[in-house]
Amino acid sequence: MTQKSAIRIVATGARLLTGAVVAAVCVLGVTAAVALPWPTVQRAPAQVSVTPTPGDTILVCNGAFRALGQDITNVTQMSSAGMFDLTVDGASATAQITSLDAPDLIGAAGAPSVLTGIAEDMVSAPIAASESISLADEDFGGLAAAPCRQPSTESWLIGGEVETGTSDIIIISNPGSVNASVSLTVYGLESTSSTMVVPPRTQLAVPLAAHAAGLQQPVVRVTAEGSPVRAVLQSALTRTLDPAGIDIQDTAGAPALDLVFAGVQVVADGTDTPTTVLRMLATDAGTEATVTVRAAGSGDVAQQFAVPLDAAIPVEVNLDDLDLGVYSVEVNAASPIVGAVWQSTGDAGGSDFAWMTPAPQIADDVLFAVPSGPSPRVHLVNDGAEDITVTLTRIDVASSRDVVVAAGGSAAVAVPPGASYRLSTTGPVNAGVILTGANALAGWPIWPGADALEPITVYP
Amino acid sequence: MVCGDATTAKTSEAVARSVEGIIEARPGTSFADAVELARPRIAEGTSIWLLAHDTAPHPQALAHLAGALERSPSATIAAPKLVQADNEGEIVSLGVTMTSLGRSVELAAGELDQGQHDGRDDVLGADIRGILIRGEVRDQLRPDRALAGADEGLDLGVRSRLGGGRVVLTPTARISVHPDGPAALPQNVGQRAFATRLAQLHRRLAYAPAPTVPLHWLSFLPLALWRTVFHLIGKRPAAVVPEWAATVTAMARFSAVARSRSRIRSFRTATWSSIAPLRITRGELRRNLDDGHGSEGGAASELNFFSGGGAWAVLAAVLVSVASFTSLLAWPALGGGALLPLRETVTALWQDAAWGARGIGLDVVGPADPFAGVIAVLGSLWPGAPSFAVVLLWLLALPLAVLGGWFAATRITDRAGLRIFGGIVWGLAPTFLTALVDGRPAAVLLHLVLPWLFHAAAVAHRSWGAAGAASLILAVALACAPSLAPAIGLLWLIAMVIVLARGWFRGAVRLLWPIIPALVVFAPLAIRHLRQGDIWAIFADPGVAWVGPQVAADSAGRMLLATGFPTPDLAEWTTLFGPGIAAFIPLLIVPMALLALAAAVAPRWGAGVMLLVVALAGLFTAFAAVGVSISFVQGTPVAIWPGSGLSLAWAGVVGASLVTLDTALTLPRLRLAAVLVAGLALVICAVPALTALHTGRSVLSNGPESTLPAFVEADAHGDQQIATLVLTPQNDGGLAAGVVWGASATLGAQSTLLNTATAAQGDDISSLAVDLLSPRTFDAPQELAAHGIQYVLLDQVVGAESDAARAFRISAVTALDQRAGFVRVGETDKGVLWRLEAERAASNEPSRAQQATAQLIVAIQLFVLLIALLLAIPTRASRRAARAMSRIVGRSPEEPITVRRRDVDDAVAGDEDNATPEPVDEPTVEDQLPVEDEPNRAHPEEQR
């Protein structure tokens, strides 16, 4: 009996000891497993990169410079103040030109035109066109120029003004065959939104003041459903009674984290009155934008500063203390922004101004047309880390020239008016066309052609 | 006669004195052959007494037999009373008869000899051992060699009857027999089944009227199939192969049948109706039938589900469930989370579960997820509106979990209170409540079936019924959570090692079966994934890949997993009280964890340690799962849901806690206190999750009954094969393109073939989708309709939409609006919908090869599942066998014996059998109890 109980005690002791060890191993094992890194298995999802097949190239031109309120009895009526000069060229195909209705425009002259380069065998037919106008009458004075552009479903019009003396008009052209339902969202201290319907093959215009009354520095987002539209902002400024410039402003690109402006001109001393102003809007969330200004020809930083931005509220900053010349401006932010740069020849009567929108990056060949106007130049900006060579080939006359743009630098190249070019580059470049004369200022960025469609990642 | 080497017999003087001669034959010679060999040596006209070496005639036996033949001139055969050699009080055979269908029936086998049958005189036949055949007819009445060892005596009796002779019983002539002699039936179960079945079939062909012989012959194969089903239901899978072997053998032996028939014809003088009175009638058969009542030997361990309070716990869970999910009572379908509607018709549900064209994607033909089969079963429970079955599942989830937990607890404890505790704690598992609140159907189903898997698998080695049930449940569990496969495989291997180490080879054979159905249902999918080169994909969660909340694959995430919570919001605590308070919530799990760890030192430590291994296996599965991202939803990777592993871990923790409570905490007060502390902590822990639906914190929503706009739903009503192209611009500027067949994206139609795809599957729609949105001019409606697509839906990403996605979406709307042949149906809350004005091509008919593959795979899978189902069907015998031994698995001799009256028998029985402690998941020595033979008693035809 004693022996039996002794065995039992030993057995129980062994059991307790083993059990305690097992429990301790469990706890230690789990603790170690929590602390130690575990291997992971990551797979890449099925994805297919598809480059959209190009279709016909459709460019919409404005046709007429609109004058608002010429008739005192009907202040919202618009009439044509003059026709744009059109410069058109195509590389392989000639453009078909058709015209749009402009029912709200008085005067038979000045029907806006649509240029179509018909794609064949799934290869696009690149065409390029631009238009310019120079006015000097009692109501309007100055130079306005813009490219003819493709319609899009979303446009950002940055440089609107509704102060006294300004006469800004949003011009919306629908080259499509169905109605476009267009929403105008105005960003300012308060946002407003309205909708209008643009019938097919029609151009309509609305005064900006009707949508953005009382707003400082309004920024307008134009979204179209049903059919893409071309939206531009036509501006005219009058100081007291003297005309003080006209401009036609194209859509800025989609909101992005980095904006690059090519061809920002400083043509007057901005010490007393600002002549160069950057307007920005953070579309999504508040952020801080870093602005870097570089002079053409050198890669040196002329100015660099940071600007805090609130979500959905436009902000203006002066770019003063700059020597006369051509500059590139880079803006970097942590959340998407849009922006444009206002340039002026001064505040005296008879002066002119122009808004410059951001220049998208160009990697492939692109066509552009230089309109008639005073001393046109092409400003090429390379914000990459390597030198690039840009080749400008005239389409109408067989000649070409190479321009080397240093890393981080830019170059301004004079081109003859009324010429069409093909721009080829060895690396990503941002480019703008500028026209500069006495009290005449215009400019716009060069956009990639329709055939340079971005590949889309599809997750099947 | 000596079969084999006769040297010893020849040299023996004793043998030489008593025999006339020695005939040496091959060792395998059958009894009938031996008789045939010896017959020519016997003088003409002498009677023959058939004896084998295992028969020991009692004194005067021959005199009694010869006397019987002398007394009744009509008798041709005199049969003795055969008794057991080691127990002469037990009758081995005293007369054999047959049913009207020809099955042989022993009249008195196995009964104690109290002289109760001694008055019987006239029988149809007898066991061949020890019979005395009258000399005049001995040439005609030769044992039929074709019978191969069974029913030879019965056959002799029948033939003698037909020849006008009788078989007389001579109970006073006693012969002792051993059960393993050459004239007895084989000892091996399979051989015996073969011999008896072959003899029966052969006699049927030999006795039948000539015109009906071909009909009988034709009926053999269908009969074999029919009897196979009954063998499986009767838990006798070992009898299946002999059944078919006997059938095929009987069908092939034409000459033997002809010989037997001619022998009968040559001797027959009477009609077949003359033997009819001696056949056993149905009434007598029923009286003879031993239904095995009382064979439990007094060790009946009743379930006590109602008297033990289990029913009340389930009822309470119903109330809690209804209170927590009140709004579900009015919902027709459940949405949110990883939930989707089900197909509208049961047919479509089952089509989704079979190999063939998948319900998403273009022309994706391949194996279904096994989970689709589970969904098909679930949906078939409410055939009118299958989606409502999911609502019912959610409403009944809590009570079903408590029920399952209660039954699983019966494998660990006999205490009614602890069983209820086990049920409740299983139902309140944080991972289960999280799955309910977050809408994860696969995880909920897994948690509901896991306790039943435990309940059945723990005794799979004991009985075929449990093995069959475990095999089905395991297939369902793995279908719901393939990520558990490695852990389950490991546990199965450990079980195998334990069973083999103890030498329970029958148990090991039974333990082999449970994994087979799971392997068969997963095989097509695994082969497909292997061919595509990524076997990891087999572990992907089935159903919808959902980017829901779950812990990250870092130390903090694993810490949460170790405390039992699969999401960072700690079963709604963080959302309700903020991270400050929620940080202390894992402490509520500590009592359970401590109880579980204590199981290692509990008296029943073997079971405790095994359950801790289960817990660790589950936990480590969860740890690994969060780092495995193999599923994608619209290009976003989704890690495996770690809650499935946690469910397995929880099973181990709850089981180990019950072991501690049942065996280690012997003081009733201490036990009560521990139960209250652990239980109350879990109840508190569950409150935020159980109130989540009322306070709007749950993602569960009413419906939708379709994920597509109502227009498509109405058009594709009744699961028509109409495809909708769904385009979703992504926040990164990409485009997700998918195709949905039918009226809605459904749970059963989801396929891991597509969810885990790392390359485009089936017909790649990518280029077409991009071209739709590009300016390219082409006949888009025709190209889409050629694929069977009738609608195009432009959807919006779930959650915040980036500027890029919005701009893309708007330009896409514009592009599609401008396409000729695209009729805009309208803008719905599910996206913008266009209908195509083109004649939709009929959906692709599967090719001949695909149809053949589908039929083959479906047939094999159904065949295996049918076997499992037949094995799992409980019979009266199997239920009695389950009652005959303790429900508890893994009792150890060290644990204290409970004093309750009912338990005493159990404990004693358990202690006798369990010489050594053993783990709970694994076999016990109860195999030695009469369980194997138990089912046979209900089917006397299998007995001699």
Side-chain angles (χ1 to χ4, degrees):
Chain A
M1 195 63 204
T2 343
Q3 197 183 1
K4 207 172 175 184
S5 67
I7 290 173
R8 170 177 275 184
I9 288 170
V10 169
T12 309
R15 184 191 91 205
L16 290 177
L17 195 66
T18 323
V21 170
V22 168
V25 166
C26 285
V27 173
L28 287 177
V30 171
T31 315
V34 165
L36 293 176
W38 278 65
T40 57
V41 177
Q42 291 280 353
R43 291 282 181 272
Q47 46 186 305
V48 182
S49 186
V50 181
T51 308
T53 316
D56 298 347
T57 309
I58 295 175
L59 302 181
V60 180
C61 309
N62 282 305
F65 193 88
R66 291 182 176 231
L68 182 64
Q70 300 290 75
D71 184 352
I72 308 231
T73 58
N74 188 356
V75 292
T76 59
Q77 192 178 58
M78 286 175 257
S79 57
S80 170
M83 281 297 292
F84 284 95
D85 286 342
L86 194 60
T87 305
V88 187
D89 219 329
S92 57
T94 45
Q96 290 184 355
I97 304 185
T98 51
S99 53
L100 299 182
D101 288 342
D104 54 352
L105 186 64
I106 301 295
S113 43
V114 175
L115 314 176
T116 311
I118 296 175
E120 282 176 12
D121 300 333
M122 292 196 182
V123 176
S124 67
I127 51 174
S130 62
E131 51 191 0
S132 67
I133 191 168
S134 188
L135 292 176
D137 56 31
E138 57 182 12
D139 294 320
F140 304 104
L143 173 69
C148 296
R149 283 277 303 279
Q150 289 166 301
S152 65
T153 51
E154 186 171 84
S155 313
W156 289 86
L157 303 175
I158 312 296
E161 300 281 355
V162 290
E163 289 159 25
T164 313
T166 60
S167 165
D168 285 13
I169 303 171
I170 300 171
I171 301 172
I172 300 170
S173 310
N174 176 9
S177 51
V178 290
N179 277 346
S181 167
V182 177
S183 304
L184 302 176
T185 308
V186 182
Y187 291 85
L189 284 175
E190 51 195 71
S191 287
T192 62
S193 192
S194 61
T195 307
M196 60 189 284
V197 173
V198 182
R201 311 201 62 77
T202 302
Q203 183 184 72
L204 290 181
V206 286
L208 176 63
H211 293 280
L215 287 181
Q216 302 269 327
Q217 309 148 8
V219 171
V220 184
R221 189 183 79 197
V222 181
T223 50
E225 282 184 47
S227 176
V229 296
R230 168 104 199 266
V232 294
L233 183 67
Q234 176 199 298
S235 320
L237 181 62
T238 312
R239 295 197 197 273
T240 56
L241 289 174
D242 297 325
I246 58 171
D247 186 41
I248 186 115
Q249 189 194 146
D250 200 8
T251 168
L257 301 183
D258 302 305
L259 306 180
V260 176
F261 295 90
V264 174
Q265 306 179 65
V266 179
V267 292
D269 181 17
T271 320
D272 301 329
T273 52
T275 55
T276 314
V277 176
L278 170 63
R279 183 184 288 186
M280 287 178 289
L281 168 72
T283 57
D284 211 15
T287 181
E288 190 177 70
T290 308
V291 181
T292 312
V293 183
R294 288 190 178 92
S298 77
D300 300 340
V301 174
Q303 271 187 9
Q304 189 166 33
F305 55 91
V307 184
L309 299 176
D310 287 336
I313 295 178
V315 170
E316 278 190 358
V317 287
N318 292 340
L319 304 177
D320 42 16
D321 296 336
L322 292 172
D323 297 334
L324 302 189
V326 179
Y327 291 86
S328 67
V329 178
E330 277 179 49
V331 185
N332 308 100
S335 72
I337 54 172
V338 290
V341 181
W342 180 77
Q343 313 135 81
S344 165
T345 60
D347 61 350
S351 61
D352 193 16
F353 69 94
W355 282 93
M356 179 57 98
T357 53
Q361 205 164 59
I362 298 169
D364 294 325
D365 289 6
V366 58
L367 292 191
F368 65 94
V370 181
S372 51
S375 57
R377 280 178 290 173
V378 175
H379 187 218
L380 303 166
V381 180
N382 174 14
D383 66 346
E386 286 174 22
D387 294 1
I388 55 169
T389 307
V390 177
T391 309
L392 297 173
T393 314
R394 272 193 80 159
I395 297 175
D396 41 353
V397 181
S399 80
S400 73
R401 59 189 290 193
D402 289 348
V403 182
V404 176
V405 188
S410 67
V413 182
V415 288
S420 296
Y421 280 95
R422 177 195 301 282
L423 183 154
S424 330
T425 173
T426 58
V429 69
N430 306 72
V433 177
I434 50 177
L435 303 171
T436 325
N439 284 338
L441 208 56
W444 67 89
I446 297 175
W447 282 79
D451 51 341
L453 290 171
E454 289 290 314
I456 294 173
T457 307
V458 182
Y459 303 104
Chain B
M1 278 292 307
V2 177
C3 300
D5 187 10
T7 323
T8 336
K10 281 174 183 164
T11 52
S12 161
E13 282 188 17
V15 173
R17 265 203 306 277
S18 60
V19 302
E20 178 263 344
I22 294 173
I23 305 170
E24 188 174 342
R26 281 178 289 110
T29 314
S30 73
F31 190 64
D33 283 335
V35 171
E36 194 63 19
L37 283 172
R39 204 174 50 84
R41 300 280 307 249
I42 301 167
E44 281 293 319
T46 49
S47 300
I48 296 180
W49 195 20
L50 298 179
L51 292 176
H53 71 74
D54 59 324
T55 51
H58 290 213
Q60 298 299 317
L62 182 58
H64 286 296
L65 288 171
L69 287 186
E70 268 178 39
R71 269 199 309 282
S72 62
S74 62
T76 46
I77 294 172
K81 177 191 277 182
L82 301 185
V83 295
Q84 282 277 16
D86 47 3
N87 176 14
E88 296 194 347
E90 187 182 336
I91 302 176
V92 172
S93 178
L94 183 64
V96 178
T97 183
M98 60 183 182
T99 65
S100 50
L101 291 174
R103 197 179 81 215
S104 67
V105 179
E106 282 281 353
L107 286 169
E111 294 184 27
L112 282 182
D113 186 12
Q114 296 162 320
Q116 72 270 42
H117 295 294
D118 288 1
R120 186 177 288 165
D121 173 48
D122 216 9
V123 290
L124 186 56
D127 196 299
I128 194 165
R129 289 171 287 181
I131 59 172
L132 183 66
I133 305 175
R134 193 183 284 276
E136 290 87 342
V137 293
R138 64 164 221 220
D139 282 345
Q140 286 77 27
L141 294 185
R142 285 180 280 168
D144 191 343
R145 289 184 289 173
L147 290 174
D151 295 349
E152 287 153 326
L154 175 66
D155 181 56
L156 283 180
V158 169
R159 279 153 54 193
S160 120
R161 270 282 155 186
L162 291 174
R166 290 197 303 132
V167 177
V168 289
L169 280 183
T170 318
T172 45
R174 294 163 64 90
I175 298 182
S176 297
V177 294
H178 292 270
D180 55 353
L185 282 171
Q187 285 294 285
N188 181 292
V189 179
Q191 285 174 3
R192 189 162 56 202
F194 174 78
T196 51
R197 184 63 185 161
L198 178 61
Q200 187 187 347
L201 292 177
H202 182 80
R203 284 190 293 113
R204 184 171 296 170
L205 289 179
Y207 296 171
T212 60
V213 170
L215 294 179
H216 276 296
W217 189 86
L218 287 175
S219 73
F220 280 4
L221 283 179
L223 272 180
L225 191 63
W226 177 249
R227 285 171 55 90
T228 300
V229 169
F230 275 88
H231 285 316
L232 291 174
I233 293 178
K235 323 299 174 221
R236 295 181 305 270
V240 171
V241 174
E243 174 76 39
W244 287 93
T247 302
V248 171
T249 313
M251 288 174 77
R253 298 193 304 179
F254 295 105
S255 59
V257 171
R259 228 176 8 253
S260 298
R261 291 184 69 86
S262 72
R263 200 173 291 159
I264 292 173
R265 208 166 41 241
S266 65
F267 187 62
R268 182 158 80 92
T269 54
T271 60
W272 277 97
S273 56
S274 65
I275 62 166
L278 290 169
R279 289 186 196 253
I280 194 161
T281 62
R282 293 185 69 82
E284 289 169 319
L285 196 59
R286 202 169 297 133
R287 261 203 310 285
N288 274 8
L289 193 68
D290 177 10
D291 74 347
H293 179 75
S295 59
E296 297 94 327
S301 59
E302 297 295 340
L303 198 54
N304 296 323
F305 176 61
F306 289 95
S307 58
W312 289 109
V314 173
L315 201 60
V318 171
L319 294 179
V320 171
S321 178
V322 169
S324 299
F325 299 104
T326 321
S327 15
L328 263 68
L329 291 169
W331 291 357
L334 208 52
L339 284 164
L340 281 182
L342 263 53
R343 293 273 192 197
E344 291 172 0
T345 58
V346 173
T347 322
L349 276 175
W350 286 100
Q351 270 170 2
D352 280 343
W355 198 97
R358 306 269 47 91
I360 50 177
L362 267 193
D363 207 17
V364 181
V365 179
D369 289 349
F371 184 64
V374 178
I375 289 297
V377 173
L378 179 68
S380 303
L381 295 179
W382 199 268
S387 294
F388 187 65
V390 180
V391 181
L392 283 182
L393 171 72
W394 241 250
L395 276 171
L396 294 178
L398 269 180
L400 286 178
V402 171
L403 182 72
W406 189 92
F407 268 89
T410 60
R411 294 286 173 228
I412 299 173
T413 176
D414 276 333
R415 293 186 167 86
L418 287 186
R419 286 176 173 183
I420 292 175
F421 173 73
I424 291 175
V425 164
W426 182 253
L428 294 181
T431 174
F432 177 55
L433 296 175
T434 308
L436 276 178
V437 171
D438 282 355
R440 293 183 181 272
V444 167
L445 281 169
L446 171 75
H447 200 83
L448 295 186
V449 298
L450 260 191
W452 294 101
L453 178 63
F454 179 84
H455 183 78
V459 292
H461 63 286
R462 285 188 189 172
S463 69
W464 275 109
S471 68
L472 281 180
I473 301 169
L474 179 62
V476 172
L478 287 183
C480 293
S483 55
L484 288 188
I488 299 267
L490 175 75
L491 296 174
W492 179 80
L493 276 182
I494 296 176
M496 249 339 192
V497 167
I498 292 173
V499 171
L500 289 175
R502 298 192 175 187
W504 303 327
F505 295 108
R506 281 177 165 185
V509 171
R510 292 198 188 107
L511 212 50
L512 266 179
W513 173 257
I515 58 162
I516 290 174
L519 288 179
V520 169
V521 296
F522 268 98
L525 197 62
I527 291 170
R528 171 65 78 96
H529 283 311
L530 262 185
R531 273 192 194 162
Q532 292 178 351
D534 191 9
I535 195 61
W536 279 99
I538 195 76
F539 299 119
D541 280 327
V544 192
W546 178 50
V547 194
Q550 66 183 56
V551 298
D554 53 15
S555 286
R558 286 194 290 274
M559 189 68 223
L560 285 183
L561 287 179
T563 59
F565 294 93
T567 55
D569 68 354
L570 294 169
E572 300 295 319
W573 277 92
T574 314
T575 31
L576 197 58
F577 295 106
I581 292 180
F584 294 98
I585 292 312
L587 292 179
L588 293 175
I589 310 294
V590 167
M592 285 297 287
L594 289 179
L595 283 175
L597 284 174
V601 294
R604 203 192 291 159
W605 59 272
V609 169
M610 191 63 204
L611 282 164
L612 286 178
V613 170
V614 172
L616 286 185
L619 201 54
F620 281 42
T621 301
F623 285 172
V626 282
V628 180
S629 303
I630 42 177
S631 299
F632 311 99
V633 48
Q634 298 185 343
T636 313
V638 183
I640 293 177
W641 172 240
S644 304
L646 287 187
S647 282
L648 183 62
W650 194 249
V653 168
V654 173
S657 311
L658 287 178
V659 167
T660 306
L661 289 168
D662 193 42
T663 61
L665 302 181
T666 42
L667 295 175
R669 288 193 179 193
L670 184 60
R671 182 186 298 141
L672 184 66
V675 163
L676 283 182
V677 168
L680 279 179
L682 280 174
V683 169
I684 294 170
C685 183
V687 168
L690 288 178
T691 55
L693 189 66
H694 287 302
T695 49
R697 281 175 282 115
S698 169
V699 297
L700 295 182
S701 64
N702 182 5
E705 286 171 73
S706 169
T707 57
L708 298 177
F711 195 89
V712 184
E713 193 193 352
D715 197 20
H717 185 70
D719 297 313
Q720 291 188 55
Q721 287 290 299
I722 292 180
T724 307
L725 175 65
V726 182
L727 302 173
T728 318
Q730 296 297 297
N731 282 341
D732 63 353
L735 176 75
V739 174
V740 174
W741 290 90
S744 165
T746 60
L747 206 49
Q750 301 302 309
S751 168
T752 51
L753 285 185
L754 282 136
N755 288 347
T756 64
T758 50
Q761 301 283 310
D763 272 3
D764 191 5
I765 196 82
S766 310
S767 318
L768 193 52
V770 169
D771 279 356
L772 277 185
L773 311 180
S774 77
R776 179 189 162 202
T777 319
F778 67 112
D779 191 358
Q782 196 51 51
E783 284 203 25
L784 288 174
H787 288 294
I789 294 174
Q790 184 79 72
Y791 294 96
V792 175
L793 179 72
L794 189 72
D795 205 357
Q796 191 175 333
V797 287
V798 180
E801 192 181 29
S802 73
D803 273 332
R806 186 177 45 76
F808 192 173
R809 188 164 52 82
I810 290 170
S811 70
V813 169
T814 309
L816 290 175
D817 272 342
Q818 288 182 306
R819 287 237 168 257
F822 277 60
V823 180
R824 183 162 177 170
V825 176
E827 203 156 338
T828 68
D829 54 349
K830 289 154 187 159
V832 189
L833 181 72
W834 288 267
R835 190 170 56 78
L836 304 187
E837 280 185 331
E839 191 61 29
R840 179 170 51 86
S843 53
N844 275 354
E845 279 295 312
S847 71
R848 197 170 278 269
Q850 285 171 341
Q851 278 178 342
T853 315
Q855 282 166 359
L856 180 71
I857 288 176
V858 169
I860 292 176
Q861 291 186 338
L862 282 184
F863 177 69
V864 172
L865 290 178
L866 185 71
I867 291 178
L869 191 66
L870 293 175
L871 281 176
I873 292 175
T875 62
R876 199 192 310 179
S878 71
R879 282 203 305 275
R880 191 166 39 241
R883 261 206 312 279
M885 65 189 95
S886 170
R887 292 184 177 275
I888 296 178
V889 182
R891 275 244 166 98
S892 130
E894 297 168 52
E895 62 191 73
I897 295 172
T898 45
V899 287
R900 269 160 58 227
R901 179 98 194 95
R902 194 171 51 231
D903 291 352
V904 172
D905 295 337
D906 286 359
V908 170
D911 285 357
E912 280 171 357
D913 291 336
N914 297 340
T916 45
E918 59 196 306
V920 91
D921 219 6
E922 307 334 316
T924 55
V925 198
E926 278 120 353
D927 287 15
Q928 297 160 2
L929 284 173
V931 58
E932 343 270 278
D933 299 328
E934 210 45 277
N936 289 347
R937 298 202 182 168
H939 301 268
E941 82 264 27
E942 293 304 318
Q943 307 253 312
R944 288 192 293 135

